[in-house]
């Protein structure tokens, strides 16, 4: 007995031990290979002495607890949120997430741990799900082409406005804005338009813009149905804008589009909106997938990712990302949008909601919503209220002379959230979760207790809708068989499994993607995302209902400020790119507040991530590129020359630390000093924080503002390309310019007249960059739990082990593939760049061949050709174990040996396992085998692979064909024959 007990004691494992893949013994072996005596010595040697952070004495981060305790604490946090029936509307509707989708997508690591589908051969499942999303959006909106998700509706409208400016024949800078636009969209639009010199002109959609307003307007945005619930035919305004050569953007509700004539039917050029109500939980504002779709002729203007169809090497049809050359990572300061991480997981959910319900199911849901709204209108009239609009879909504006506020209060007490407009007016929105009992309860709240309420399902079914008959939808939608083939739960479950089986995600093996930090997304961290107290809160719920959320956000803001050395943090940005934009807009606001209107130049090193330059342009700045020297560091002489040349106009330097070359630059303090001396601000891109956490802080070595990627360093899963959270952290002098929000529950996070600091946190009073006040709060429990379970010590150790892993791979691979850049100590940071250009010269084998051959070995390729063309950037993270790291080394060395065999002439240059990779099962089974190498060499290049083989579903995909022949909707079933 006693011996068993003693053994248990020894088995005590902390969460950090589970999160970190290597054991102390493994680490000692790895340190030997790297040539360092200890983890501590390794990071002391790698990170420049001058920036080492002092050890933390009284951290705000509590001592780590285990998984059970952390979840118990989070339960208590959740308990301080109150879930009421959210009938506020304003672009957010409660929804039933089909359980088959919740369990098999949202809670399934095969979907949520996947990476962005840049390697299409291992991403066919998520690419199919996304082409379903695009088809769903283009069908419902009546547009020719839809992209694969925007960050939210508000930012999608901004993208629509920018697209309209690019595509419009009108050269003016005015944009017409429907006065019935969602208020949060209007706030974002105002903030973003001002930065890029666009003037907004408001008008009433019922009257249309005046001739004076039309003059010089490059486009218009209309809300359909309006924020007030009113349905107005937008076609007359669209015609008038078209007559002058302008572009019409319509922000449309996807569920309403099953009953109403689509934007395409009405002549719009662009449709935007959100797909939230298609089964994606409210989540206190996000994450949800926004959408953007365009008419024929504008597809090459679309921002963000676009899934298309092409063929593989065997002539089979295959999906891929189309027109990637439009994207920010390639076009940099010429990019038209900075969107990188989007909302892929949520787009997959929304598309599957449409697949599951089909066109009839969606119409049924929409009819029920519309009829319940009609019943509710009758009830309100019976209670003496005026129903303000004749045409409506799901939202009523009600006038209760003098008693709107008391009705809203009574509703709150009865468990309902309505939207108070003014002393006389309120709004109420119906959604698919509204049942007749809710109508009965609201009748009592309205004071219609003694009228008969048609409180049965039948009464709802017999009611008409408020949709104007002139706008009845006549065009068909979702006619592709995929939207009617999966009606039973068994079929649906199998379809989801069929798709995820095609894909490679973290649940199969390492994804060593430099710059992307694909680490463990622990099950405990994910647990709370679907708890109703986090999932079913409306973003504009009253403060008293969301105290748990505000506490959690407050914790995170404090913790993240501490670990980065800043004074204040905003979690509002929905992705790293949006954090960049928020930070740069804060810098802009700061300079302008001091009368420095001419400070508009943003210095960016040539090695920077493409989003940096794109964000700078969207913040109204001019990009000036700073050169790098041959060691990959910022060229100090060039930096000094550029700061001198632009001294009067210098707004900021944007620099990534450690650099995108995976190196700790020794001159960082000096670089920051030079920029400050010239009157500029320093933006430190924090995407590589996994190399610093616990060891150095941006704020200490000269940063004024940074964004972090919670979906990299802090364990939010990548979701196949989103969601993300990109908090922006800053010094106190920038706090007033960080993103606030007109509807924020915390007064110190609110913009507008009633903004004030109500705590000890600096107030954020800049304009919003996301539709919801706290961005994507429902995934913040992931980061909260991670920090809570790691503590400062665990986070610090994770950094050390991440740096060890990269240096271990560099040491073992450097003979076969030169490591392009190292720091002064000869060490790399948390990632290393393998130079494959010499290999190509010697053997003709390209970086593409190596990446695709890694698929045959059962690996996801490292980051390809970023930041240097012809290289692979490898980032193992702390979560991988030694066996997996060694498996990767073995694969890379085997590939090197194969390349050498090609060079020796053992295999022809055009027929060898590298250029033919990846190999599908069909390619080795079907027909005569006619290659110079064996079938076994093709598909089992490593020993012991037979039992754990990942089979790619397609062979190498022809990228060029798909761009020349653009098809971005579900292809007909026969096409797969
Ligand atoms: C990932 C990354 C970004 C952009 O972050 P998103 O969340 O994808 O928008 C910016 N800079 C660097 C260095 C990155 O690695």
């Amino acid at each position: 007995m006693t011996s068993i007990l003693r053994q248990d004691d020894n088995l005590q494992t902390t969460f950090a031990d589970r999160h970190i893949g290597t054991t102390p013994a493994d680490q000692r072996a790895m340190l030997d290979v790297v040539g360092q005596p200890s983890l501590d010595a390794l990071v002391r040697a790698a990170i420049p002495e001058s920036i080492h952070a002092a050890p933390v004495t009284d951290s705000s981060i509590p001592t780590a607890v285990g998984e059970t305790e952390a979840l118990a604490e989070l339960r208590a946090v959740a308990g301080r949120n109150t879930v009421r029936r959210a009938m506020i509307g304003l672009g957010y509707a409660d929804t039933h997430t089909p359980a088959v989708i919740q369990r098999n997508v949202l809670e399934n690591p095969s979907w949520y741990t996947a990476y962005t589908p840049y390697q299409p051969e291992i991403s066919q499942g998520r690419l199919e799900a996304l082409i379903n999303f695009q088809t769903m959006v283009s069908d419902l909106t009546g547009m020719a082409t839809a992209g694969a998700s925007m960050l939210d509706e508000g930012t999608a409208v901004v993208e629509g406005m920018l697209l309209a400016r690019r595509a419009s024949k009108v050269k003016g800078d005015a944009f017409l804005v429907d006065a019935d636009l969602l208020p949060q969209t209007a706030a974002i639009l105002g903030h973003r338009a001002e930065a890029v010199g666009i003037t907004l002109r408001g008008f009433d959609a019922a009257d249309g813009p005046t001739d004076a307003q039309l003059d010089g307007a490059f486009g218009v945005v209309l809300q359909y149905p309006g924020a007030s619930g009113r349905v107005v035919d937008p076609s007359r305004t669209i015609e008038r804008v078209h007559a002058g050569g302008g572009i019409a953007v319509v922000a449309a509700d996807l569920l309403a589009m099953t009953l109403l004539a689509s934007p395409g039917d009405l002549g719009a050029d662009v449709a935007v909106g959100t797909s939230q109500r298609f089964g994606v939980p409210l989540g206190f504002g996000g994450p949800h997938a926004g959408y953007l779709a365009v008419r024929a002729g504008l597809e090459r203007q679309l921002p963000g990712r676009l899934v298309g169809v092409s063929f593989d090497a065997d002539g089979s049809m295959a999906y891929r990302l189309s027109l990637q050359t439009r994207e920010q990572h390639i076009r940099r300061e010429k990019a038209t949008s900075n969107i990188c991480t989007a909302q892929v997981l949520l787009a997959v959910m929304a598309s599957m909601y449409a697949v599951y319900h089909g066109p009839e199911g969606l119409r049924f849901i929409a009819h029920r919503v519309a009829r319940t709204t009609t019943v509710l209108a009758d009830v309100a009239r019976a209670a003496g209220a005026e129903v303000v609009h004749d045409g409506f879909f799901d939202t009523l504006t009600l006038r209760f002379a003098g008693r709107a506020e008391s009705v809203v209060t009574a509703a709150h007490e009865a468990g309902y959230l309505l939207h108070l407009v003014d002393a006389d007016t309120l709004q109420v929105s119906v959604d698919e979760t509204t049942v007749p009992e809710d109508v009965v309860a609201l009748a009592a709240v309205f004071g219609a207790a003694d009228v008969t309420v048609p409180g049965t399902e039948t009464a709802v079914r017999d009611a008409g809708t408020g949709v104007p008959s002139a706008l009845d939808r006549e065009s068909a939608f979702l006619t592709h068989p995929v939207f009617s083939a999966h009606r039973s739960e068994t079929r649906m479950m199998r379809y989801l499994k069929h798709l995820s089986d095609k894909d490679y995600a973290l649940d199969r093996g390492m994804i060593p993607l430099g710059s992307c930090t694909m680490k463990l997304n622990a099950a405990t961290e994910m647990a709370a995302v679907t708890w109703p107290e986090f999932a079913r809160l409306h973003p504009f719920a009253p403060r008293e209902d969301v105290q748990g959320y505000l506490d959690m956000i407050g914790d995170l803001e404090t913790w993240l400020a501490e670990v980065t050395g800043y004074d204040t943090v905003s979690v509002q940005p929905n992705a790293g790119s949006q954090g960049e934009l928020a930070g740069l807009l804060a810098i802009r606001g700061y300079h302008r507040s001091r009368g420095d209107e001419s400070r508009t130049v943003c210095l960016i090193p040539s090695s920077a991530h493409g989003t940096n330059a794109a964000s700078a342009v969207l913040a109204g700045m001019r990009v000036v590129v700073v050169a790098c020297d041959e060691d990959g560091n910022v060229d100090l002489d060039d930096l000094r020359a550029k700061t001198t040349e632009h001294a009067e106009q210098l707004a900021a330097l944007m620099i990534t630390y450690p650099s995108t070359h995976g190196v700790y630059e020794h001159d960082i303090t000096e670089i920051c000093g030079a920029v400050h001396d010239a009157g500029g601000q320093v933006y430190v891109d924090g995407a590589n924080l996994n190399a610093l956490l616990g060891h150095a802080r941006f704020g200490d070595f000269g940063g004024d503002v940074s964004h972090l990627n919670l979906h990299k360093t802090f364990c939010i899963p990548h979701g196949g390309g989103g969601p993300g959270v990109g908090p922006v952290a800053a010094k106190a002098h920038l706090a007033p310019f960080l993103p606030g929000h007109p509807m924020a529950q915390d007064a110190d996070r609110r913009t507008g007249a009633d903004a004030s600091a109500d705590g000890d946190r600096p107030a954020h009073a800049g304009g919003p960059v996301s539709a919801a006040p706290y961005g994507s709060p429902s995934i913040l429990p992931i980061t909260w739990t991670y920090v809570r379970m790691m503590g400062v010590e665990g986070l610090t150790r994770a950094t050390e082990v991440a740096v060890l892993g990269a240096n271990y791979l560099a040491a073992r691979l450097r003979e076969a593939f030169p490591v392009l850049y190292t720091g002064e100590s000869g060490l790399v940071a948390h990632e290393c760049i393998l130079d494959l250009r010499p290999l190509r010269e010697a053997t003709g084998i390209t970086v593409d061949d190596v990446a695709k051959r890694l698929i045959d070995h059962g690996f996801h390729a490292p980051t390809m050709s970023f930041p240097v063309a012809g290289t692979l950037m490898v980032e193992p993270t702390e979560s991988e174990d030694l066996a997996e790291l060694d498996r990767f080394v073995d694969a890379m060395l085997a590939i090197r040996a194969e390349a050498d065999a090609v060079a020796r002439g053992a295999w022809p240059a055009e027929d060898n396992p590298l250029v033919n990779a990846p190999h599908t099962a069909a390619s080795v089974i079907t027909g005569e085998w006619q290659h110079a190498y064996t079938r076994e060499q093709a598909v089992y290049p490593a020993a012991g692979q037979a039992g754990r083989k990942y089979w790619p579903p397609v062979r190498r995909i022809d990228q060029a064909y798909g761009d020349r022949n653009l098809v971005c909707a579900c292809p007909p079933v026969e096409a797969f024959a």
Side-chain angles (χ1 to χ4, degrees):
M1 279 311 279
T2 42
S3 74
I4 290 173
L5 279 175
R6 218 175 291 128
Q7 214 173 11
D8 273 359
D9 285 347
N10 290 339
L11 281 172
Q12 269 293 338
T13 311
T14 65
F15 172 75
D17 295 327
R18 299 285 189 199
H19 174 83
I20 294 172
T22 46
T23 65
D26 296 336
Q27 291 158 15
R28 279 192 295 278
M30 293 162 72
L31 284 162
D32 281 346
V33 173
V34 174
Q36 289 289 333
S38 67
L39 279 175
D40 192 55
L42 169 70
V43 291
R44 297 228 146 246
I47 301 177
E49 180 76 46
S50 56
I51 66 166
H52 277 286
V56 194
T57 44
D58 55 345
S59 176
S60 65
I61 300 174
T63 309
V65 292
E67 298 177 54
T68 312
E69 296 88 337
L71 280 188
E73 276 185 31
L74 202 52
R75 280 269 176 223
V77 174
R80 297 197 290 278
N81 290 334
T82 308
V83 182
R84 285 177 226 273
R85 307 281 293 103
M87 302 183 80
I88 293 171
L90 298 180
Y92 299 93
D94 203 358
T95 176
H96 291 303
T97 308
V100 63
I101 295 174
Q102 176 172 326
R103 179 159 296 261
N104 295 290
V105 178
L106 181 57
E107 298 174 344
N108 181 345
S110 298
W111 289 98
Y112 68 70
T113 71
Y115 181 63
T116 307
Y118 288 134
Q119 297 285 335
E121 293 85 0
I122 55 153
S123 311
Q124 291 296 300
R126 50 198 187 269
L127 286 164
E128 177 163 330
L130 289 176
I131 212 162
N132 291 349
F133 176 83
Q134 293 177 182
T135 306
M136 166 189 99
V137 169
S138 61
D139 275 17
L140 287 171
T141 59
M143 291 285 148
T145 309
S149 98
M150 292 281 110
L151 290 163
D152 57 31
E153 174 159 344
T155 52
V157 171
V158 173
E159 296 289 347
M161 170 179 75
L162 297 174
L163 193 162
R165 179 151 78 163
R166 293 196 294 281
S168 181
K169 295 203 185 74
V170 181
K171 289 295 152 242
D173 279 325
F175 189 59
L176 301 169
V177 180
D178 184 346
D180 208 6
L181 205 62
L182 295 171
Q184 67 275 22
T185 302
I188 302 178
L189 206 55
H191 190 43
R192 298 283 306 272
E194 192 271 332
V196 292
I198 293 173
T199 312
L200 302 180
R201 294 178 184 163
F203 70 98
D204 187 317
D207 309 332
T210 63
D211 287 341
Q213 285 180 316
L214 273 169
D215 186 42
F218 63 81
V220 64
V221 61
L222 293 141
Q223 189 87 44
Y224 178 62
S228 66
R230 177 176 74 162
V231 177
V232 174
D233 185 348
S235 51
R236 175 84 191 108
T237 297
I238 293 173
E239 265 169 42
R240 292 179 62 215
V241 167
H242 280 171
I247 297 281
V249 180
V250 172
D253 178 316
L254 285 183
L255 188 64
M257 293 310 103
T258 64
L259 305 183
L260 283 167
S262 73
D265 294 336
L266 300 169
D269 305 286
V270 181
V272 293
T274 175
S275 58
Q276 180 267 316
R277 72 189 308 171
F278 278 27
V280 182
L282 289 166
F284 193 35
H288 318 127
Y291 74 81
L292 194 155
V294 294
R295 64 158 161 82
L298 292 177
E299 46 284 275
R300 282 164 207 268
Q301 303 278 356
L302 272 170
R305 298 194 181 114
L306 178 63
V307 178
V309 178
S310 190
F311 291 95
D312 77 355
D314 285 341
S316 302
M317 204 160 63
Y319 303 109
R320 55 180 285 276
L321 292 178
S322 295
L323 304 179
Q324 283 190 62
T325 46
R326 305 158 308 133
E327 283 193 35
Q328 35 66 27
H329 60 274
I330 297 182
R331 294 188 29 95
R332 297 167 172 267
E333 70 270 20
K334 293 193 190 64
T336 48
S337 157
N338 66 337
I339 293 186
C340 184
T341 289
Q343 302 281 20
V344 171
L345 188 70
L346 304 314
V348 170
M349 287 180 69
S351 79
M352 291 305 167
Y353 179 95
V355 165
Y356 198 41
H357 287 299
E360 302 81 20
L362 293 179
R363 255 181 101 92
F364 177 83
I365 292 168
H367 262 131
R368 222 174 68 104
V369 164
R371 287 165 179 163
T372 305
T373 310
T374 309
V375 173
L376 196 58
D378 291 342
V379 166
R381 279 191 204 96
E386 179 199 345
V387 177
V388 176
H389 305 301
D390 295 330
F392 51 79
F393 166 59
D394 66 349
T395 298
L396 301 169
T397 295
L398 301 177
R399 207 161 277 147
F400 283 93
R403 62 186 186 98
E405 195 164 352
S406 64
V407 171
V408 171
T409 306
H412 189 255
E413 275 158 25
Y416 295 88
L417 300 179
L418 311 183
H419 174 56
L420 182 68
V421 179
D422 58 39
D424 300 321
T425 322
L426 62 81
Q427 280 181 217
V428 55
S429 282
V430 171
D431 59 58
E432 68 161 322
T433 70
T434 311
V435 291
E437 289 70 25
D438 296 324
V439 179
V440 175
L442 286 172
V445 164
F446 292 168
D450 52 348
V451 302
T452 340
V453 175
T456 66
E457 200 59 37
T458 330
V460 170
R461 219 179 308 140
D462 293 344
T465 75
V467 172
S469 56
L471 286 171
D472 273 343
R473 174 153 192 154
E474 271 151 25
S475 52
F477 54 88
L478 305 187
T479 52
H480 190 277
V482 76
F483 297 105
S484 34
H486 307 288
R487 215 35 36 79
S488 77
E489 181 168 335
T490 302
R491 273 302 286 260
M492 189 68 198
M493 173 181 71
R494 289 178 187 161
Y495 181 52
L496 291 169
K497 175 77 173 159
H498 166 71
L499 293 185
S500 64
D501 268 356
K502 296 182 181 197
D503 286 13
Y504 184 101
L506 275 178
D507 62 343
R508 287 189 193 273
M510 174 157 73
I511 305 186
L513 272 155
S515 212
C516 294
T517 315
M518 296 291 290
K519 58 164 72 171
L520 170 75
N521 317 117
T524 294
E525 292 155 8
M526 296 296 295
V529 171
T530 48
W531 292 355
E533 295 87 347
F534 290 125
R536 283 194 84 181
L537 292 191
H538 192 284
F540 310 140
R543 181 182 173 129
E544 61 200 284
D545 286 5
V546 300
Q547 196 54 52
Y549 254 127
L550 298 181
D551 292 346
M552 182 182 65
I553 289 165
D555 283 349
L556 275 175
E557 291 185 354
T558 306
W559 298 344
L560 295 176
E562 178 189 312
V563 298
T564 53
Y566 287 115
D567 302 309
T568 187
V569 169
S570 165
V571 298
Q572 192 187 96
N574 277 329
S577 61
Q578 303 306 298
E580 293 172 14
L581 181 61
L584 291 170
L585 288 171
I587 289 174
R588 178 175 196 271
Y590 171 75
H591 285 312
R592 291 169 79 87
S593 76
R594 295 156 45 97
D596 274 345
E597 314 241 323
S598 60
R599 290 201 176 270
T600 56
V601 166
C602 187
L603 301 179
I604 299 185
S606 58
S607 60
H609 195 270
T611 52
N612 288 184
S615 297
V617 171
L618 293 174
M621 293 185 181
R622 189 155 63 85
V623 173
V624 173
V625 176
V626 180
C628 289
D629 63 22
E630 68 248 37
D631 297 326
N633 297 323
V634 169
D635 182 333
L636 269 178
D637 292 336
D638 194 45
L639 177 80
R640 289 221 178 79
K642 298 272 161 68
T643 46
T644 309
E645 186 188 340
H646 301 285
E648 300 292 302
Q649 300 99 42
L650 185 64
L653 165 76
M654 236 182 153
I655 185 167
T656 305
Y657 200 82
S659 74
T660 50
H661 291 146
V663 172
Y664 299 101
E665 285 181 49
H666 272 66
D667 297 328
I668 184 66
T669 317
E670 210 179 331
I671 291 171
C672 296
V675 172
H676 285 147
D677 289 347
Q681 295 277 295
V682 176
Y683 187 108
V684 183
D685 180 326
N688 290 342
L689 184 59
N690 217 45
L692 284 188
L693 201 55
H695 291 279
R697 310 195 307 167
F698 302 139
D700 292 349
F701 62 69
D704 295 292
V705 55
S706 294
H707 76 270
L708 317 179
N709 292 55
L710 300 191
H711 47 300
K712 294 178 181 172
T713 317
F714 291 94
C715 297
I716 290 176
H718 215 79
V725 178
V728 55
K731 292 273 176 68
H733 65 280
L734 293 177
F737 311 100
L738 288 188
H741 195 287
M743 282 107 119
Q745 282 81 356
D746 266 331
D748 57 10
R749 295 292 181 268
R750 198 172 304 143
T751 57
D754 53 347
S756 69
D758 67 344
D760 49 5
R761 301 189 306 176
H764 298 166
V769 296
S770 298
Y774 305 93
S776 294
S778 75
I779 50 177
L780 292 176
I782 300 169
T783 295
W784 189 95
T785 315
Y786 175 60
V787 176
R788 189 68 194 87
M789 298 191 300
M790 292 293 273
V792 171
E793 214 178 297
L795 294 173
T796 307
R797 184 144 57 91
T799 302
E800 292 163 5
V801 176
V803 173
L804 174 61
N807 279 287
Y808 175 74
L809 292 183
R812 291 210 50 202
L813 289 171
R814 100 176 341 130
E815 214 165 290
F817 306 95
V819 173
L820 190 54
Y821 299 118
T822 57
E824 282 179 9
S825 52
L827 295 166
V828 298
H830 65 313
E831 60 194 7
C832 65
I833 298 181
L834 302 178
D835 192 354
L836 271 63
R837 292 169 299 186
L839 180 80
R840 181 175 193 168
E841 252 162 57
T843 70
I845 295 303
T846 65
V847 65
D848 244 44
D849 298 330
V850 174
K852 304 309 175 192
R853 186 60 171 152
L854 278 169
I855 298 173
D856 286 334
H857 280 269
F859 276 107
H860 191 296
T863 301
M864 257 172 62
S865 293
F866 171 80
V868 184
T871 66
L872 289 177
M873 182 155 62
V874 188
E875 179 182 356
T877 84
E878 70 277 13
S879 296
E880 295 302 331
D881 59 52
L882 185 54
E884 186 71 354
L885 297 177
D886 284 339
R887 193 170 74 85
F888 180 72
V889 170
D890 292 345
M892 289 298 288
L893 295 179
I895 288 170
R896 173 74 221 207
E898 287 180 342
D900 289 339
V902 175
R904 276 200 316 273
W907 288 318
E910 65 293 337
D911 182 21
N912 59 66
L914 296 160
V915 297
N916 288 338
H919 297 83
T920 56
S923 74
V924 291
I925 292 169
T926 318
E928 285 282 304
W929 183 254
Q930 286 172 333
H931 299 288
Y933 53 101
T934 68
R935 283 188 265 240
E936 285 77 7
Q937 275 170 314
V939 299
Y940 296 140
Q945 223 182 333
R948 54 171 296 181
K949 173 72 184 174
Y950 165 70
W951 291 98
V954 295
R955 303 215 33 215
R956 201 176 304 188
I957 295 172
D958 184 341
Q959 298 282 8
Y961 179 88
D963 279 355
R964 280 196 309 273
N965 306 278
L966 202 58
V967 176
C968 300
C970 297
V973 180
E974 309 83 65
F976 288 91

